[in-house]
Amino acid sequence: MIPAGSPRPAILWGGGLLLLLASSIFSLSVGAVWLSPGEVLRWLFTPDEPMGIVVRELRLPRTVLALLVGAGLGLTGAALQGYTRNPLADSGLLGINAGAALGAVLILYTGLTVPAWKTSLVPLGGLGGAIATTFLITFLAGRVQSIQTLILAGVAVSALAGALTSLVLNFSTNPFAAQEIIFWLLGSVTDRGWDVLFLAFPLMLGGAFLLLSSGRSLQLLALGEDTATTMGVSPQRLRWRLISGSALLVGPATAIAGAIGFIGLVVPHLLRPLVGYDPAKLLPASMLGGALLLLWADLLVRLIPIDQELKLGVVTALLGAPFFFALIFRLRRSYA
Amino acid sequence: MPAFFRSLTCLCLLGLIWPTLAPLIVSGAPQRIVSINLASDELLLELVDFQRIAAVSRIVQDRELSRLADQAASLQGTDGSLEHLIRLQPDLVLVSTFTRPRTLQILDRLGVPVVQVPPAESLAEARENVLLVARALDLEQLGYDLVEEMDRIIAAVTTRRDSSPPNRSALILGPGFAVYGNQTIWGDILAALGFVSHADALGIKDWGRIDLETLILNPPDILIRLNYHRSSPTLGSQAMEHRALNLLRDDIILVDFPLALTLTANHLTAQTIRELDEAIRAATTKQSSTYDPRR
C-alpha cells in the first residue's frame, strides 16, 4: 500500500503523460521523411501541402489510433484480470478478440455495406462480433457463471470464432480478398483514415466509461466474492458491465487494427507493482501503459529497415512471448 | 446382301461423313480441353467452340477476376484438383508454370498432353503465348489472326497518343498497395500508352509495395488504381480511396480501373491498353475517373 501523500503516483502519472506526449511527437516525426518537432507543428497547420497532408491525414490518425487501441486493450486486460483474479485473463482469453475478428472478416468477405455510406461497416462488424461473443459466453457459462466456467466458455468461443474465420478464408475464391484478410489479421494501424476513427471512438469511449466506473467494485472483489456481495457489489451486474465494456472497446479496435495481442496481458503485469496492486488504480494506469506500448510497437514497425511492412500484431507477439518466458521462470523460482 | 453392295454402301456412308471427320482424324485436334490457368482460359474461350472445352478454371467465371466471366458461366468450372482433372478425361490440359509438379507428374503418367503457358512479362511474350496455345489447339492461323488484331489495336492507341503531352509518369497501384514496374507486362502497357513508369522513380523494377506516405510525397502524374469488388468497400479500396490521396486530385489524375481487366497477359492485353487509354482521357477531361467497360 502506498502511504498517503506519497509523491510517487503524481510522479508516475506526470512522467507517464510526458512520455506519452514525447512519444506522440516522435511518432509524428517518423516516416519516409523525418521531421523535427517544429516542422511537425508547422505541417499540422499547413494542410494543403503534400507534407501537411502526410502529417494530418496519415501520421496523426495513425498515432491517435495506436494510442486509442493500445489504451483500450490495456484497460480491458486490467479489468478482466481484476474480475477473474487470473493473471492470464484478457479479452483474447474470453474470445472477444476472436469474435470481433470474425465479425469484421464476415463484413470483408460478404462486402456488406450501406450504399449511402462511403465508409466500410467493418468497425460495426467487429463490434457485432464482439457482442455476439459476449452473449455466447454468458449463455455457455450458465446461470451460476463462476469465473472458471466463464474462462472455459471464453476459450471455447475463441476456438470456434478462430475456426470460423479460417473457414471464411478457406471459402474465399478471390485471392486478393483472402490476402487482404490475412494481412489485416496480422494487425496494423497503417494508412487508416479519420473516418474509421470517428466511427469507432464513441463506441470505445462508452466501453472505457463502463470499465473505468467498475474500479471500486473490482477493489471490493479482490477481498472475495462473498465479501464484495455483502458490501453491495452485484457480481452479475459487474460481469455484464465488464463484458459489455470490453466488447465496446475491443470490437471496434480489432475491426480497425486487426488482431493485436499481448497488450492486455502484459501491461497490467508490468504496472501492477507501481500502483500498489490496487485493481482500481490499475485501470487508468493500464490505459496509459497500453497506449504507450502499442505506440512504441508501431514506432518499431516504422524504424526497422525492411522492405515488407512488418505487421503490428507480429511485433507485439514477439515482444509478449519473452515476457511470458520471464514470468514462467519467475514462477518456477518462487515455487522452488 | 452381296459383298459388292455392302462395300459400296460403306464407301457411300464414309463419303458422307468424311468432310466432318477428316479434319479431326487427320489433325488429331483435341476435343476435351481443360484449362486451369486464367490466361489460357481466356485464350481458349476466344479460339475454340465450347463443345471442345471440357472445363475451365473457376477463376475465369468470377466477374471480379475475369472480363470473360459471363461467357464462361455456362462451362464446367474446375478447381484444378487432380481428381477432378482425371474425371474430366481431358485430351489436352493447359496449365501455368506454377502448377503443382505432382499434377504434371500424374497427367504425364496417364498420357494426357499438357501445355505449360508461362506468365507473360511483356507484349512479345503475350504474343508468343497466343501462338503457343493456338498451335496446341491446332489453330495456328487463328493465333496469327489474334496477334495481328492485337497489333492493330495497339497501333491505333499509339497513333492517338501522339497528340498527348509527352513524358508524363504513370503508376499502377494494385490491391494491398502493390506497384508494378518495367520488368512486368505493365512496362510495355505504359509504354504503349506513352507514359513513363513511375515505379522506376520509386526504385521498383519488378513488383513491390509502397506506403501511402511515399506515394503522396513522390506522386506520379497519373495514378491508376486497380480495384475489385466495386459494389462495396474492401480493405484495399478503402486504403486506395484514402482522403489523403483524394486531396491530391488537383495535382494528379486519378483513374479507377477494374482489376479483372488486367490480370492476364494475352490477346486481351491489347483491349486493356485501349480501355486504359479511354479511361485516362476521360479522367483527364474530368468526365469520369471510374471506368468499367463491362457496365
Side-chain angles (χ1 to χ4, degrees):
Chain A
M1 177 79 82
I2 297 167
S6 163
R8 202 167 151 200
I11 293 171
L12 287 173
W13 271 103
L17 288 170
L18 212 60
L19 199 54
L20 189 76
L21 183 64
S23 304
S24 303
I25 293 172
F26 187 55
S27 175
L28 294 175
S29 308
V30 169
V33 173
W34 281 74
L35 300 173
S36 66
E39 283 170 328
V40 165
L41 214 58
R42 177 161 72 97
W43 290 119
L44 269 175
F45 295 104
T46 321
D48 297 329
E49 300 290 319
M51 202 64 227
I53 294 172
V54 162
V55 171
R56 274 171 71 120
E57 301 295 335
L58 297 178
R59 294 190 190 180
L60 188 56
R62 180 177 189 152
T63 303
V64 170
L65 186 59
L67 293 173
L68 199 61
V69 171
L73 292 175
L75 174 60
T76 308
L80 292 176
Q81 283 179 17
Y83 173 69
T84 60
R85 280 155 282 154
N86 184 321
L88 295 179
D90 80 337
S91 51
L93 185 73
L94 291 190
I96 299 175
N97 289 38
L102 176 62
V105 164
L106 283 172
I107 296 288
L108 290 168
Y109 179 71
T110 60
L112 193 68
T113 189
V114 175
W117 290 15
K118 297 276 185 225
T119 307
S120 158
L121 292 181
V122 171
L124 293 178
L127 175 64
I131 291 174
T133 306
T134 303
F135 279 111
L136 191 55
I137 292 167
T138 314
F139 170 73
L140 282 174
R143 194 172 292 188
V144 174
Q145 296 197 9
S146 71
I147 287 168
Q148 285 80 5
T149 52
L150 199 64
I151 291 173
L152 275 173
V155 170
V157 168
S158 185
L160 175 66
L164 290 174
T165 303
S166 300
L167 191 68
V168 168
L169 276 171
N170 202 166
F171 282 144
S172 178
T173 54
N174 189 321
F176 297 100
Q179 188 188 59
E180 277 188 352
I181 292 171
I182 289 168
F183 277 125
W184 169 80
L185 280 171
L186 293 177
S188 174
V189 291
T190 311
D191 295 340
R192 297 328 193 237
W194 287 111
D195 49 354
V196 287
L197 261 171
F198 290 146
L199 192 59
F201 182 70
L203 301 168
M204 295 179 73
L205 194 65
F209 174 75
L210 283 171
L211 295 189
L212 287 169
S213 62
S214 307
R216 179 76 182 141
S217 302
L218 289 175
Q219 271 180 329
L220 295 173
L221 201 61
L223 302 172
E225 204 161 310
D226 293 336
T227 310
T229 310
T230 57
M231 296 183 79
V233 173
S234 164
Q236 284 86 355
R237 212 177 296 157
L238 177 61
R239 187 178 305 117
W240 268 109
R241 203 167 348 131
L242 289 176
I243 293 178
S244 308
S246 301
L248 282 170
L249 269 170
V250 171
T254 304
I256 298 170
I260 296 173
F262 288 97
I263 301 292
L265 268 174
V266 168
V267 165
H269 277 285
L270 291 173
L271 297 179
R272 204 169 273 119
L274 298 179
V275 296
Y277 298 89
D278 183 340
K281 289 182 184 157
L282 188 60
L283 296 179
S286 296
M287 278 185 78
L288 181 59
L292 273 171
L293 190 59
L294 194 64
L295 187 61
W296 289 340
D298 188 49
L299 282 168
L300 264 180
V301 162
R302 287 183 272 173
L303 292 171
I304 292 175
I306 55 172
D307 288 339
Q308 288 271 47
E309 184 200 348
L310 191 57
K311 293 297 180 183
L312 195 51
V314 173
V315 172
T316 57
L318 287 173
L319 291 175
F323 171 83
F324 277 96
F325 291 145
L327 193 65
I328 290 167
F329 287 127
R330 188 152 49 101
L331 281 171
R332 277 171 55 174
R333 270 202 300 273
S334 65
Y335 288 143
Chain B
M1 188 194 265
F4 171 73
F5 285 112
R6 273 206 298 274
S7 306
L8 190 61
T9 309
C10 287
L11 276 169
C12 290
L13 280 170
L14 198 59
L16 277 171
I17 64 175
W18 181 253
T20 311
L21 271 182
L24 304 174
I25 293 169
V26 169
S27 69
Q31 297 302 304
R32 288 194 59 74
I33 308 160
V34 172
S35 170
I36 56 172
N37 164 32
L38 183 57
S40 53
D41 289 338
E42 291 177 339
L43 271 167
L44 197 60
L45 290 168
E46 186 73 44
L47 289 168
V48 304
D49 292 331
F50 281 19
Q51 293 99 307
R52 291 175 63 189
I53 302 176
V56 289
S57 74
R58 293 213 177 108
I59 294 179
V60 77
Q61 296 173 319
D62 185 339
R63 235 179 161 259
E64 296 299 336
L65 299 173
S66 169
R67 64 162 76 226
L68 300 183
D70 294 336
Q71 288 97 304
S74 60
L75 291 167
Q76 160 92 310
T78 175
D79 58 3
S81 65
L82 252 178
E83 231 180 88
H84 196 216
L85 282 180
I86 293 167
R87 216 160 359 123
L88 289 166
Q89 295 181 304
D91 52 13
L92 175 68
V93 180
L94 304 174
V95 305
S96 75
T97 47
F98 301 113
T99 301
R100 282 189 290 262
R102 180 80 179 137
T103 303
L104 300 176
Q105 214 178 43
I106 299 295
L107 288 174
D108 182 55
R109 206 193 292 177
L110 292 170
V112 177
V114 171
V115 171
Q116 286 191 287
V117 183
E121 306 290 10
S122 66
L123 283 173
E125 288 176 11
R127 291 185 190 95
E128 279 167 26
N129 284 348
V130 170
L131 294 175
L132 173 69
V133 172
R135 282 184 200 116
L137 300 172
D138 209 22
L139 295 166
E140 192 169 355
Q141 185 52 49
L142 208 50
Y144 280 113
D145 292 343
L146 267 185
V147 167
E148 212 175 287
E149 176 69 9
M150 275 177 76
D151 291 338
R152 192 189 57 75
I153 293 172
I154 294 170
V157 171
T158 309
T159 310
R160 269 184 85 185
R161 85 162 190 232
D162 291 334
S163 59
S164 305
N167 295 328
R168 286 190 299 175
S169 66
L171 186 71
I172 312 297
L173 197 65
F177 275 59
V179 166
Y180 305 96
N182 272 331
Q183 287 175 11
T184 66
I185 187 77
W186 283 105
D188 277 359
I189 291 174
L190 290 180
L193 289 165
F195 299 120
V196 170
S197 172
H198 193 68
D200 270 350
L202 298 172
I204 294 168
K205 299 267 178 275
D206 185 353
W207 175 95
R209 290 187 196 276
I210 58 165
D211 58 273
L212 203 41
E213 193 170 310
T214 305
L215 183 59
I216 286 168
L217 294 176
N218 193 358
D221 294 314
I222 295 165
L223 181 66
I224 300 164
R225 301 188 291 204
L226 303 180
N227 217 333
Y228 67 93
H229 220 356
R230 286 296 305 175
S231 54
S232 61
T234 63
L235 271 181
S237 68
Q238 269 199 283
M240 291 209 276
E241 286 166 15
H242 198 287
R243 194 164 169 265
L245 261 183
N246 289 333
L247 285 171
L248 291 181
R249 270 189 190 279
D250 290 337
D251 301 318
I252 66 177
I253 296 167
L254 289 172
V255 180
D256 289 312
F257 199 75
L259 180 72
L261 307 185
T262 68
L263 280 177
T264 53
N266 51 23
H267 62 299
L268 294 172
T269 306
Q271 280 188 46
T272 301
I273 292 173
R274 180 176 56 197
E275 285 154 357
L276 257 175
D277 183 55
E278 284 166 18
I280 293 167
R281 285 176 194 279
T284 307
T285 56
K286 307 273 190 259
Q287 287 165 26
S288 169
S289 66
T290 304
Y291 183 89
D292 192 342
R294 298 171 300 174
R295 287 200 196 133

